[in-house]
Amino acid sequence: MEKNNLKAWLYLLPAILFLGVFMVYPLIDVFVYSFEEGYNSASQTFFGIGTYNYSYVLRDPYFLQALKNTFILVIITVPLSTGIALLISLGLSSIQKVREWYQTIFFLPYVTNTLAVGLVFMILFKKTPYSDGLMNLLLGLFGVSPIDFMDGPYWAKMFVLCFYTVWVVMPFKILILTSALASVNEDYYKAAKVDGTSAFRTFGRITLPMISPMLFYLIITGFIGAFKAYSDAVALFGTNLNAAEMNTIVGYIYDMLYGNSGGYPSYASAAAIILFVIVLTITCINLLLSKKYVHY
Amino acid sequence: MKILLENVTKIFPGRGKGAKEVRAVDKFNFEIPDGKLIGLLGPSGCGKSTTLNLLSGLLQPTEGKIFFGEDEVTNLPAEHRGVGLVFQNYALYPHLTVLQNITFPLENLKGDAKLTKEERVKRATEAAKLVQIENLMDRKPGELSGGQQQRVAIARALVKMPKVLLLDEPLSNLDARLRLQTREEIRRIQKETGITTIFVTHDQEEAMSISDMIVVMKDGLVHQIGKPQEVYDNPTNLFVAKFLGTPPINVFAGRIQNGALYVGEDKLFDVSADAKPGDVYVGIRPEGFVLQADGPLHCSLSRVEVMGRDMSVVAGHPAFLDASIRAIIASENLAEISGDAVNFDVKPGKVLVFDKETEERMYI
């Protein structure tokens, strides 16, 4: 028994070593940094230990802005993208002929580079002295006066960011949901049909519970992904996100480390820990809710 | 309620280029009497499940008409036919409890037929009592055995008081012992409710044992319809004869010559003078053999399998068309068998003769 244990540890050693060095140690380190006040990574010195980093970050208007942006992004894009993806998947699974063709089209954004797509979106929405942009052209048809989406009011910029995020995360969700829908045994639908179940009830009482594990998976990963949003905002508004009022929590952390205001690993660590606590809390709430609504 | 099928035909288009269309059911004519238990019997792919789906309304026939009582239902969609359907895999909703599964069809009722929650539970409990699962109402299907799931599926089909109950291979997912028990159960439930019931099976024993009538199908064609014993005793062709009975019928190459029936060189018995001479298939049911020292059928003896009540004599014959002959003989004759040869006489009623070309039955 003893010998076997030793062998087991030996086999586990490579994984433990790598995970320990590259995952566990940095995690702990971040936690430690977040309590070291005025830590300087060059000289490896700090003034003292305490919660000053947290109080600084939580009072920093840029962080509060980032926090607000991130929450708006999460609350709008996760339900919206999951809902639309579900509708599109339902549509896809009910057509026969050009289904694969549509599937390919819907999946294209997933294999396209974020920054390139961001550029395209910028061109769609940007208002310049020479042109109002394609979106404003469209809106003009309905008599809406041109809006400066990229440099204009806060809600317009937030709209572009949300629109873009939904568009980017949708393909993966559609892919997962179409396969989830396809895996529901046809006999359940036949049984429901013979029993005279309406299409609406069939969806609510059969389809939805049957795909609920997959739906739940998408919601959890959607939440986590949206909380960690950063590259989307950069793709649209450039690297100076604070000036654009479009920073996210991850963006704030990045700025604290490397941005113009950079060189503050302690603040970055504190912000990272705050983000971690938020994500953990939301995920725990999700898991608790899933016990009630998800059928395995 | 009686059901009438008139020239019902279902053609599926062929898949892929140049593929031939498939006639799953071809000109099915049958009047199913009210309150009977009908077994649709045939090998895989014979069109029996398609027939069931045509009756349920999940499929529409290509040609022909279907009547429930006096009403034509040919193009009536499944949800308006009022049939109860039990699927081969039961199709119980895994996320609902037994009670919720059974009340599910009742929740769909609209207008005047709408029921209150108490009424629904009451009806579900009655249906559950009928199939004896009333103590399992709060379980999920995943927590039930195969036999229990089967009963829930039947209760769900019965709860809306259908005019017709359709069962698709109801016993195929059960083990041998449960199968015997459940088929009795299906018979009992059918008798108690008096609902016209049609069930599909590929197991002839199952169909024979509980059906009022059986329909033998092959390749979309109905080969024979009748009471189980009648079909067994008087099959219209070689396929039906081979398909019914365990052990299966023993088929020999034979001929009619000089007013007598021959199997190989052995003359079995004289036949009527107007029997057409020529090559035939001779089928002898396992119970049609009689041990007799000077019997006309000379066989080589392979072995004897004793099964208690009776025994199975496994033998060979040069004119036999399969691997080995199986004769079922009462056990008390065990002492009479020894050596490597055995002679049989045959019971003429258990000998069936079929035309060599058409494989149709010849009455001699």
Side-chain angles (χ1 to χ4, degrees), chain A residues 24-77:
Chain A
V24 181
Y25 171 70
L27 271 174
I28 295 169
D29 228 21
V30 167
F31 193 73
V32 170
Y33 287 156
S34 74
F35 288 101
E36 291 177 350
E37 287 164 13
Y39 172 77
N40 185 317
S41 56
S43 62
Q44 298 273 324
T45 55
F46 57 95
F47 306 137
I49 288 171
T51 53
Y52 173 75
N53 296 328
Y54 288 94
S55 68
Y56 174 86
V57 166
L58 286 171
R59 272 179 218 158
D60 186 350
Y62 285 141
F63 181 78
L64 296 178
Q65 178 74 54
L67 197 66
K68 179 183 157 199
N69 289 342
T70 308
F71 265 95
I72 292 175
L73 195 66
V74 166
I75 286 163
I76 291 179
T77 62

Side-chain angles (χ1 to χ4, degrees), chain A residues 82-130:
Chain A
T82 314
I84 298 173
L86 184 58
L87 284 179
I88 291 178
S89 312
L90 282 171
L92 275 177
S93 55
S94 60
I95 57 168
Q96 296 284 325
K97 278 192 174 158
V98 282
R99 179 172 171 174
E100 284 173 16
W101 196 70
Y102 270 112
Q103 257 171 344
T104 312
I105 290 181
F106 283 124
F107 197 63
L108 270 181
Y110 194 65
V111 290
T112 317
N113 184 291
T114 314
L115 295 172
V117 177
L119 194 71
V120 173
F121 265 72
M122 212 171 77
I123 293 164
L124 276 178
F125 284 98
K126 199 171 177 72
K127 187 170 171 252
T128 63
Y130 312 103

Side-chain angles (χ1 to χ4, degrees), chain B residues 303-314:
Chain B
R303 64 183 185 278
V304 177
E305 291 170 6
V306 181
M307 291 173 291
R309 181 167 46 88
D310 44 32
M311 60 186 180
S312 166
V313 179
V314 184

Side-chain angles (χ1 to χ4, degrees), chain B residues 216-281:
Chain B
V216 185
M217 297 182 73
K218 189 197 172 193
D219 298 337
L221 287 170
V222 174
H223 279 238
Q224 195 166 2
I225 298 177
K227 290 186 176 151
Q229 194 62 46
E230 278 174 22
V231 178
Y232 180 79
D233 289 338
N234 277 314
T236 56
N237 58 37
L238 187 61
F239 166 73
V240 177
K242 275 178 164 173
F243 199 72
L244 296 184
T246 32
I249 195 164
N250 300 291
V251 184
F252 299 81
R255 64 187 187 281
I256 293 171
Q257 197 180 348
N258 308 329
L261 180 65
Y262 286 86
V263 165
E265 297 309 313
D266 299 335
K267 178 185 163 187
L268 286 190
F269 48 75
D270 289 329
V271 295
S272 64
D274 51 346
K276 188 167 67 100
D279 284 343
V280 293
Y281 289 117

Side-chain angles (χ1 to χ4, degrees), chain B residues 234-238 255-256 261 274-281 351-364:
Chain B
N234 277 314
T236 56
N237 58 37
L238 187 61
R255 64 187 187 281
I256 293 171
L261 180 65
D274 51 346
K276 188 167 67 100
D279 284 343
V280 293
Y281 289 117
V351 178
L352 309 167
V353 180
F354 303 93
D355 189 285
K356 179 104 182 175
E357 301 298 320
T358 62
E359 300 193 351
E360 291 297 317
R361 177 84 183 278
M362 293 168 75
Y363 297 92
I364 51 169

Side-chain angles (χ1 to χ4, degrees), chain B residues 305-354:
Chain B
E305 291 170 6
V306 181
M307 291 173 291
R309 181 167 46 88
D310 44 32
M311 60 186 180
S312 166
V313 179
V314 184
H317 189 278
F320 189 63
L321 295 172
D322 273 318
S324 51
I325 302 165
R326 262 177 196 277
I328 304 289
I329 310 279
S331 291
E332 46 267 34
N333 299 323
L334 183 58
E336 296 174 29
I337 305 172
S338 59
D340 50 8
V342 61
N343 291 342
F344 292 110
D345 195 5
V346 292
K347 299 173 188 164
K350 293 289 179 186
V351 178
L352 309 167
V353 180
F354 303 93

